[in-house]
Short mmCIF file of all heavy atoms in Angstrom, two decimals:
data_model
loop_
_atom_site.label_atom_id
_atom_site.label_comp_id
_atom_site.label_asym_id
_atom_site.label_seq_id
_atom_site.Cartn_x
_atom_site.Cartn_y
_atom_site.Cartn_z
N GLU H 261 62.52 56.51 -92.20
CA GLU H 261 62.50 57.41 -93.35
C GLU H 261 61.87 56.75 -94.56
O GLU H 261 61.12 57.38 -95.31
CB GLU H 261 63.93 57.86 -93.68
CG GLU H 261 64.57 58.73 -92.61
CD GLU H 261 65.95 59.19 -93.02
OE1 GLU H 261 66.39 58.85 -94.14
OE2 GLU H 261 66.59 59.90 -92.22
N GLU H 262 62.18 55.50 -94.78
CA GLU H 262 61.62 54.79 -95.94
C GLU H 262 60.88 53.54 -95.46
O GLU H 262 61.47 52.67 -94.83
CB GLU H 262 62.73 54.39 -96.92
CG GLU H 262 63.41 55.58 -97.58
CD GLU H 262 64.42 55.12 -98.62
OE1 GLU H 262 64.50 53.89 -98.86
OE2 GLU H 262 65.12 55.98 -99.18
N VAL H 263 59.58 53.51 -95.76
CA VAL H 263 58.76 52.34 -95.41
C VAL H 263 57.93 51.98 -96.64
O VAL H 263 57.03 52.71 -97.04
CB VAL H 263 57.82 52.64 -94.22
CG1 VAL H 263 57.01 51.38 -93.88
CG2 VAL H 263 58.60 53.10 -93.02
N ASP H 264 58.27 50.87 -97.28
CA ASP H 264 57.53 50.40 -98.46
C ASP H 264 56.84 49.09 -98.11
O ASP H 264 57.48 48.05 -98.01
CB ASP H 264 58.49 50.22 -99.64
CG ASP H 264 57.74 49.81 -100.91
OD1 ASP H 264 56.50 49.93 -100.93
OD2 ASP H 264 58.39 49.38 -101.88
N LEU H 265 55.53 49.18 -97.91
CA LEU H 265 54.76 47.99 -97.55
C LEU H 265 53.96 47.45 -98.72
O LEU H 265 53.25 46.45 -98.57
CB LEU H 265 53.81 48.34 -96.38
CG LEU H 265 54.46 48.85 -95.11
CD1 LEU H 265 53.41 49.19 -94.06
CD2 LEU H 265 55.46 47.84 -94.56
N THR H 266 54.04 48.09 -99.88
CA THR H 266 53.26 47.64 -101.04
C THR H 266 53.74 46.29 -101.56
O THR H 266 53.00 45.61 -102.27
CB THR H 266 53.33 48.67 -102.17
OG1 THR H 266 54.71 48.94 -102.49
CG2 THR H 266 52.66 49.97 -101.76
N ALA H 267 54.98 45.91 -101.21
CA ALA H 267 55.48 44.60 -101.65
C ALA H 267 54.70 43.46 -101.02
O ALA H 267 54.71 42.34 -101.53
CB ALA H 267 56.97 44.47 -101.32
N PHE H 268 54.01 43.73 -99.91
CA PHE H 268 53.23 42.70 -99.23
C PHE H 268 51.79 42.61 -99.76
O PHE H 268 51.02 41.79 -99.29
CB PHE H 268 53.19 42.97 -97.72
CG PHE H 268 54.53 42.94 -97.06
CD1 PHE H 268 55.26 44.10 -96.86
CD2 PHE H 268 55.08 41.73 -96.65
CE1 PHE H 268 56.50 44.07 -96.24
CE2 PHE H 268 56.32 41.68 -96.04
CZ PHE H 268 57.03 42.86 -95.83
N ILE H 269 51.46 43.48 -100.72
CA ILE H 269 50.09 43.54 -101.23
C ILE H 269 50.11 43.32 -102.74
O ILE H 269 50.82 44.03 -103.46
CB ILE H 269 49.45 44.91 -100.91
CG1 ILE H 269 49.50 45.18 -99.40
CG2 ILE H 269 48.01 44.97 -101.41
CD1 ILE H 269 49.24 46.61 -99.04
N GLU H 270 49.36 42.36 -103.20
CA GLU H 270 49.30 42.05 -104.63
C GLU H 270 47.99 42.59 -105.20
O GLU H 270 46.90 42.24 -104.74
CB GLU H 270 49.38 40.54 -104.85
CG GLU H 270 49.62 40.14 -106.28
CD GLU H 270 51.05 40.40 -106.74
OE1 GLU H 270 51.94 40.47 -105.88
OE2 GLU H 270 51.26 40.53 -107.97
N VAL H 271 48.10 43.47 -106.19
CA VAL H 271 46.94 44.04 -106.88
C VAL H 271 47.00 43.60 -108.33
O VAL H 271 48.03 43.77 -108.99
CB VAL H 271 46.92 45.58 -106.77
CG1 VAL H 271 45.76 46.16 -107.57
CG2 VAL H 271 46.83 46.01 -105.31
N GLY H 272 45.90 43.02 -108.85
CA GLY H 272 45.91 42.49 -110.21
C GLY H 272 44.65 42.83 -110.98
O GLY H 272 43.74 43.50 -110.47
N GLU H 273 44.58 42.33 -112.20
CA GLU H 273 43.49 42.67 -113.10
C GLU H 273 42.17 41.99 -112.74
O GLU H 273 41.11 42.47 -113.13
CB GLU H 273 43.88 42.29 -114.54
CG GLU H 273 45.10 43.03 -115.06
CD GLU H 273 45.53 42.52 -116.41
OE1 GLU H 273 44.97 41.50 -116.87
OE2 GLU H 273 46.41 43.14 -117.02
N GLU H 274 42.23 40.88 -112.04
CA GLU H 274 41.00 40.16 -111.71
C GLU H 274 41.11 39.55 -110.31
O GLU H 274 42.20 39.38 -109.77
CB GLU H 274 40.73 39.06 -112.74
CG GLU H 274 41.86 38.07 -112.89
CD GLU H 274 41.63 37.08 -114.01
OE1 GLU H 274 40.67 37.24 -114.77
OE2 GLU H 274 42.43 36.14 -114.11
N ARG H 275 39.94 39.24 -109.75
CA ARG H 275 39.91 38.64 -108.42
C ARG H 275 40.38 37.18 -108.50
O ARG H 275 40.27 36.53 -109.55
CB ARG H 275 38.49 38.68 -107.86
CG ARG H 275 37.98 40.08 -107.62
CD ARG H 275 36.51 40.10 -107.24
NE ARG H 275 36.27 39.49 -105.93
CZ ARG H 275 35.06 39.38 -105.38
NH1 ARG H 275 33.99 39.83 -106.04
NH2 ARG H 275 34.91 38.83 -104.19
N THR H 276 40.92 36.69 -107.40
CA THR H 276 41.35 35.30 -107.31
C THR H 276 40.80 34.69 -106.02
O THR H 276 40.57 35.41 -105.04
CB THR H 276 42.90 35.17 -107.30
OG1 THR H 276 43.40 35.75 -106.09
CG2 THR H 276 43.51 35.88 -108.49
N PRO H 277 40.59 33.38 -105.99
CA PRO H 277 40.00 32.74 -104.81
C PRO H 277 41.01 32.34 -103.74
O PRO H 277 40.63 31.70 -102.76
CB PRO H 277 39.33 31.50 -105.40
CG PRO H 277 40.18 31.14 -106.57
CD PRO H 277 40.70 32.44 -107.13
N LEU H 278 42.29 32.71 -103.88
CA LEU H 278 43.29 32.28 -102.92
C LEU H 278 42.96 32.76 -101.50
O LEU H 278 43.04 31.99 -100.54
CB LEU H 278 44.68 32.79 -103.33
CG LEU H 278 45.38 32.01 -104.44
CD1 LEU H 278 46.67 32.68 -104.83
CD2 LEU H 278 45.63 30.57 -104.02
N GLN H 279 42.60 34.02 -101.36
CA GLN H 279 42.19 34.56 -100.06
C GLN H 279 40.77 35.14 -100.10
O GLN H 279 40.26 35.58 -99.09
CB GLN H 279 43.16 35.66 -99.61
CG GLN H 279 44.55 35.16 -99.25
CD GLN H 279 45.45 36.28 -98.74
OE1 GLN H 279 45.14 37.47 -98.84
NE2 GLN H 279 46.59 35.91 -98.18
N ASP H 280 40.17 35.10 -101.28
CA ASP H 280 38.86 35.72 -101.50
C ASP H 280 37.81 34.63 -101.72
O ASP H 280 37.47 34.30 -102.86
CB ASP H 280 38.96 36.66 -102.71
CG ASP H 280 37.69 37.46 -102.93
OD1 ASP H 280 36.79 37.39 -102.06
OD2 ASP H 280 37.59 38.16 -103.95
N GLY H 281 37.31 34.06 -100.63
CA GLY H 281 36.33 32.98 -100.75
C GLY H 281 35.02 33.44 -101.34
O GLY H 281 34.32 32.66 -102.00
N GLU H 282 34.66 34.73 -101.16
CA GLU H 282 33.41 35.24 -101.72
C GLU H 282 33.42 35.22 -103.24
O GLU H 282 32.36 35.18 -103.88
CB GLU H 282 33.16 36.67 -101.22
CG GLU H 282 32.87 36.77 -99.73
CD GLU H 282 34.15 36.95 -98.93
OE1 GLU H 282 35.25 36.77 -99.51
OE2 GLU H 282 34.07 37.26 -97.72
N PHE H 283 34.62 35.25 -103.83
CA PHE H 283 34.72 35.21 -105.29
C PHE H 283 34.22 33.88 -105.83
O PHE H 283 33.59 33.82 -106.89
CB PHE H 283 36.17 35.45 -105.72
CG PHE H 283 36.35 35.55 -107.21
CD1 PHE H 283 35.48 36.28 -107.99
CD2 PHE H 283 37.41 34.91 -107.83
CE1 PHE H 283 35.64 36.38 -109.35
CE2 PHE H 283 37.59 34.99 -109.19
CZ PHE H 283 36.71 35.74 -109.96
N ALA H 284 34.49 32.79 -105.10
CA ALA H 284 33.97 31.49 -105.51
C ALA H 284 32.45 31.49 -105.46
O ALA H 284 31.78 30.92 -106.35
CB ALA H 284 34.52 30.39 -104.60
N LEU H 285 31.87 32.14 -104.46
CA LEU H 285 30.41 32.25 -104.36
C LEU H 285 29.86 33.06 -105.51
O LEU H 285 28.81 32.73 -106.08
CB LEU H 285 30.03 32.90 -103.02
CG LEU H 285 28.54 32.92 -102.67
CD1 LEU H 285 28.04 31.52 -102.36
CD2 LEU H 285 28.29 33.84 -101.49
N GLN H 286 30.56 34.12 -105.89
CA GLN H 286 30.12 34.95 -107.01
C GLN H 286 30.13 34.14 -108.32
O GLN H 286 29.21 34.27 -109.13
CB GLN H 286 31.03 36.17 -107.17
CG GLN H 286 30.68 37.04 -108.37
CD GLN H 286 31.68 38.15 -108.60
OE1 GLN H 286 32.09 38.82 -107.65
NE2 GLN H 286 32.08 38.35 -109.85
N LYS H 287 31.16 33.33 -108.50
CA LYS H 287 31.23 32.53 -109.73
C LYS H 287 30.10 31.50 -109.77
O LYS H 287 29.54 31.24 -110.84
CB LYS H 287 32.60 31.85 -109.84
CG LYS H 287 33.71 32.82 -110.17
CD LYS H 287 35.00 32.12 -110.55
CE LYS H 287 35.75 31.61 -109.35
NZ LYS H 287 37.09 31.09 -109.72
N LEU H 288 29.76 30.91 -108.62
CA LEU H 288 28.62 29.99 -108.58
C LEU H 288 27.34 30.72 -108.96
O LEU H 288 26.50 30.18 -109.71
CB LEU H 288 28.49 29.39 -107.18
CG LEU H 288 29.42 28.23 -106.83
CD1 LEU H 288 29.32 27.90 -105.35
CD2 LEU H 288 29.09 26.99 -107.67
N ALA H 289 27.17 31.94 -108.44
CA ALA H 289 25.97 32.72 -108.78
C ALA H 289 25.95 33.07 -110.27
O ALA H 289 24.88 33.04 -110.90
CB ALA H 289 25.94 33.99 -107.94
N GLU H 290 27.11 33.35 -110.85
CA GLU H 290 27.16 33.68 -112.28
C GLU H 290 26.80 32.47 -113.14
O GLU H 290 26.12 32.61 -114.16
CB GLU H 290 28.55 34.20 -112.64
CG GLU H 290 28.81 35.61 -112.14
CD GLU H 290 30.10 36.18 -112.71
OE1 GLU H 290 30.68 35.54 -113.61
OE2 GLU H 290 30.52 37.25 -112.25
N VAL H 291 27.29 31.30 -112.76
CA VAL H 291 26.93 30.09 -113.51
C VAL H 291 25.43 29.86 -113.42
O VAL H 291 24.78 29.49 -114.42
CB VAL H 291 27.71 28.87 -112.96
CG1 VAL H 291 27.23 27.59 -113.64
CG2 VAL H 291 29.20 29.05 -113.17
N ALA H 292 24.84 30.10 -112.24
CA ALA H 292 23.40 29.95 -112.08
C ALA H 292 22.64 30.95 -112.94
O ALA H 292 21.64 30.61 -113.60
CB ALA H 292 23.02 30.13 -110.61
N LEU H 293 23.11 32.19 -112.98
CA LEU H 293 22.45 33.22 -113.80
C LEU H 293 22.53 32.90 -115.28
O LEU H 293 21.56 33.09 -116.02
CB LEU H 293 23.10 34.58 -113.52
CG LEU H 293 22.82 35.20 -112.16
CD1 LEU H 293 23.72 36.39 -111.91
CD2 LEU H 293 21.37 35.60 -112.04
N ARG H 294 23.70 32.42 -115.72
CA ARG H 294 23.84 32.05 -117.12
C ARG H 294 22.91 30.88 -117.46
O ARG H 294 22.35 30.83 -118.56
CB ARG H 294 25.29 31.68 -117.41
CG ARG H 294 25.63 31.45 -118.88
CD ARG H 294 25.51 32.74 -119.66
NE ARG H 294 26.48 33.73 -119.23
CZ ARG H 294 27.68 33.88 -119.77
NH1 ARG H 294 28.05 33.09 -120.77
NH2 ARG H 294 28.50 34.81 -119.34
N ALA H 295 22.72 29.96 -116.52
CA ALA H 295 21.88 28.79 -116.78
C ALA H 295 20.41 29.16 -116.92
O ALA H 295 19.68 28.52 -117.70
CB ALA H 295 22.05 27.77 -115.65
N ILE H 296 19.93 30.19 -116.18
CA ILE H 296 18.50 30.55 -116.27
C ILE H 296 18.25 31.64 -117.31
O ILE H 296 17.12 32.12 -117.44
CB ILE H 296 17.96 31.01 -114.91
CG1 ILE H 296 18.75 32.21 -114.38
CG2 ILE H 296 17.96 29.87 -113.92
CD1 ILE H 296 18.23 32.75 -113.04
N SER H 297 19.29 32.02 -118.04
CA SER H 297 19.10 33.02 -119.10
C SER H 297 18.28 32.41 -120.23
O SER H 297 18.31 31.20 -120.46
CB SER H 297 20.45 33.51 -119.61
OG SER H 297 21.16 32.45 -120.24
N PRO H 298 17.53 33.23 -120.98
CA PRO H 298 16.69 32.70 -122.07
C PRO H 298 17.48 31.94 -123.13
O PRO H 298 16.98 31.01 -123.75
CB PRO H 298 16.04 33.96 -122.65
CG PRO H 298 16.08 34.96 -121.54
CD PRO H 298 17.34 34.67 -120.78
N GLY H 299 18.75 32.33 -123.34
CA GLY H 299 19.54 31.68 -124.38
C GLY H 299 19.91 30.25 -124.04
O GLY H 299 20.07 29.41 -124.93
N ILE H 300 20.06 29.94 -122.76
CA ILE H 300 20.46 28.59 -122.32
C ILE H 300 19.28 27.85 -121.71
O ILE H 300 19.04 26.68 -122.01
CB ILE H 300 21.62 28.68 -121.33
CG1 ILE H 300 22.85 29.30 -122.02
CG2 ILE H 300 21.97 27.30 -120.77
CD1 ILE H 300 24.06 29.45 -121.12
N ASN H 301 18.52 28.51 -120.82
CA ASN H 301 17.30 27.95 -120.24
C ASN H 301 17.53 26.57 -119.62
O ASN H 301 16.94 25.58 -120.02
CB ASN H 301 16.20 27.88 -121.32
CG ASN H 301 14.82 27.65 -120.70
OD1 ASN H 301 14.60 27.96 -119.53
ND2 ASN H 301 13.92 27.10 -121.49
N ASP H 302 18.41 26.54 -118.63
CA ASP H 302 18.74 25.28 -117.94
C ASP H 302 18.58 25.49 -116.43
O ASP H 302 19.56 25.61 -115.70
CB ASP H 302 20.17 24.87 -118.29
CG ASP H 302 20.57 23.55 -117.66
OD1 ASP H 302 19.67 22.82 -117.18
OD2 ASP H 302 21.77 23.24 -117.61
N PRO H 303 17.33 25.57 -115.94
CA PRO H 303 17.12 25.86 -114.51
C PRO H 303 17.68 24.80 -113.58
O PRO H 303 18.01 25.10 -112.43
CB PRO H 303 15.59 25.96 -114.39
CG PRO H 303 15.06 25.21 -115.57
CD PRO H 303 16.05 25.39 -116.66
N ASN H 304 17.80 23.55 -114.04
CA ASN H 304 18.34 22.50 -113.16
C ASN H 304 19.78 22.79 -112.78
O ASN H 304 20.20 22.52 -111.64
CB ASN H 304 18.23 21.14 -113.84
CG ASN H 304 16.79 20.65 -113.90
OD1 ASN H 304 15.99 20.96 -113.02
ND2 ASN H 304 16.45 19.89 -114.92
#
Side-chain angles (χ1 to χ4, degrees):
E261 293 183 1
E262 294 185 4
V263 181
D264 183 14
L265 302 179
T266 55
F268 297 95
I269 304 165
E270 192 74 23
V271 176
E273 298 174 352
E274 56 186 8
R275 295 172 68 180
T276 67
L278 282 175
Q279 291 183 348
D280 186 7
E282 293 89 348
F283 185 44
L285 188 70
Q286 176 187 316
K287 288 192 282 188
L288 280 171
E290 286 189 9
V291 174
L293 289 169
R294 188 67 65 92
I296 58 178
S297 65
I300 297 179
N301 194 23
D302 182 15
N304 288 330

